[in-house]
Amino acid sequence: MTQSNPYLPLPVTIEKITIENEAKDLKTFRLRFQSDEDASSFKYECGQFAMLSIAGAGESPIGIASSPLDEGILEFTVKRYPTGVVTTALHNFDEGETIGVRGPYGNAYPLEQMEGSNLVIVSGGFAFTTLRSTIRYLLDDSQRSRFKKITVIYGARSPGELLYKDELAEWENRDDIEMVVTVDKGDEGWSGREGFVPTVLQEVSPSAENAYVLVCGPPIMLKFTMPPLLEMGFPPSRIITSLERKMTCGIGKCGRCNVGSKYVCKDGPVFTYEQLQQIPEAVL
Ligand SMILES: Cc1cc2nc3c(=O)[nH]c(=O)nc-3n(C[C@H](O)[C@H](O)[C@H](O)COP(=O)(O)OP(=O)(O)OC[C@H]3O[C@@H](n4cnc5c(N)ncnc54)[C@H](O)[C@@H]3O)c2cc1C
Ligand code: FES
């Protein structure tokens, strides 16, 4: 449910900041609602985003990286752009300080529709955030039995750029999820897989039978991932992705985020490949 005044940010305290990568331009912010009422009214689903609001700097749409089952907190993993006003301001905050959050906005991954199916999750770079939310959710004891086999193919440029390293290690040790983690180029400490995500996807070649695939990554990765998925037999209606566009309001009012006749903030950000094939401006 969206809060009653959708433009009013809710105050949240930065409880924990985790530097995720060697380049130190990706940080995960764990935020705690300052009021119990706000915490219980902010109900979200995997795949949705929120507007992070910094007084004097502005607002940015950021995908929610925590699981809907994580009570009282929200997590966001944010990349700082050197000329980015909001992301730079956010990276300068310390634990204990207050920022604002409004949302949740957008649609979600269709997990109910995917129930009883095999799930394949394919991701590269920091677009992994809302899929991390999804994996945390799917692996919860209350949810895992709703889905069949879960295969995750996740890649980063280098070992130092992999997000959520502790969780990746934990998931790799479980026998109810197949984790395939790859880097474009390893270093001397890396004994894992090397290779670009689309190539590794072809090597792993997950079955398309009774399966859905969630795929998020930079445009170049998506461009080279869609053809093999189609060749493997995944129907476009079962290939699900998430789009990023510049946004101002986040609630379908300003017209800033449209692709064709769709507003990414309201009709998306989650779209099936079948839907995107109908929108020439969205061609991946
Ligand atoms: C639905 C949705 C979910 C998103 N989820 C996340 C997320 O989980 N984590 C995250 O870090 N970001 C996410 N983004 C992107 C994020 O909203 C932007 O990076 C952020 O708004 C930039 O704000 P800024 O004020 O720092 O930059 P601005 O001041 O708006 O931009 C300044 C300059 O920064 C650079 N820049 C800004 N954004 C980008 C970009 N996306 N790609 C390349 N260069 C850029 C450009 O050079 C730009 O000219 C998401 C966007 C959408 C629409
Ligand atoms: S961001 Fe305003 S309409 Fe989508």
Side-chain angles (χ1 to χ4, degrees), residues 60-61 63 77-79 81 83-87 126 129 244-246:
S60 274
T77 301
V78 181
K79 182 174 172 78
Y81 291 98
T83 54
V85 177
V86 177
T87 57
F126 71 96
T129 59
E244 272 193 22
R245 288 292 183 277
K246 285 270 182 194

Side-chain angles (χ1 to χ4, degrees), residues 18-27 77 79 125-126 154-166 168 181-194:
T18 305
I19 298 171
E20 295 282 355
N21 63 341
E22 259 170 26
K24 296 188 168 45
D25 60 0
L26 280 160
K27 288 184 179 177
T77 301
K79 182 174 172 78
F126 71 96
Y154 165 54
R157 276 203 312 274
S158 63
E161 294 302 302
L162 288 166
L163 298 176
Y164 316 124
K165 291 181 188 63
D166 291 348
L168 292 180
V181 176
T182 180
V183 295
D184 297 352
K185 190 160 178 21
D187 54 24
E188 60 278 11
W190 179 252
S191 55
R193 201 185 263 262
E194 283 189 6

Side-chain angles (χ1 to χ4, degrees), residues 221-243:
M221 186 205 98
L222 296 178
K223 182 172 159 46
F224 288 104
T225 302
M226 293 303 169
L229 286 175
L230 295 171
E231 267 168 41
M232 285 170 203
F234 286 93
S237 61
R238 285 177 171 237
I239 301 176
I240 295 159
T241 190
S242 184
L243 293 187

